[in-house]
Amino acid sequence: MKRPKVERRFVVCIRNDDCEDLQLRKIYEVLPDDAAFKEGLTRIIDESGEDYLYPAEYFLPLRLSQTVEDALREAVPAA
């Protein structure tokens, strides 16, 4: 059975107070986490290579062209 295709979303980091694993102005992929979203958190894979929760206010969502999205998909394997 095929897994359903999940729409990939990306954000850019605009704050990193007390978060050494986040780089300002870096693009991160958001991992789906409805419970975290309800608490004002965003789950991403940070510089350590692990997924963690961070305050949603540290990021801005990105609207990317199809060309950029395709390039990011190639550079970052799907989870």
Side-chain angles (χ1 to χ4, degrees):
M1 177 186 272
K2 289 175 82 174
R3 284 196 291 176
K5 185 175 180 176
V6 176
E7 182 178 329
R8 297 174 79 175
R9 295 183 351 182
F10 296 92
V11 294
V12 63
C13 179
I14 58 167
R15 279 180 62 187
N16 63 354
D17 306 348
D18 300 319
C19 295
E20 296 175 9
D21 290 332
L22 293 176
Q23 291 182 10
L24 291 175
R25 297 177 296 283
K26 181 171 179 171
I27 296 172
Y28 293 95
E29 184 173 1
V30 176
L31 299 179
D33 189 329
D34 292 336
F37 178 77
K38 290 176 184 175
E39 297 293 324
L41 300 171
T42 298
R43 183 175 297 279
I44 64 161
I45 298 175
D46 65 17
E47 297 308 308
S48 72
E50 299 292 326
D51 65 285
Y52 290 100
L53 293 171
Y54 294 98
E57 65 195 29
Y58 284 16
F59 307 94
L60 287 177
L62 295 175
R63 294 182 72 180
L64 305 172
S65 71
Q66 191 62 51
T67 303
V68 173
E69 283 189 26
D70 291 345
L72 288 173
R73 281 188 187 96
E74 290 176 16
V76 180

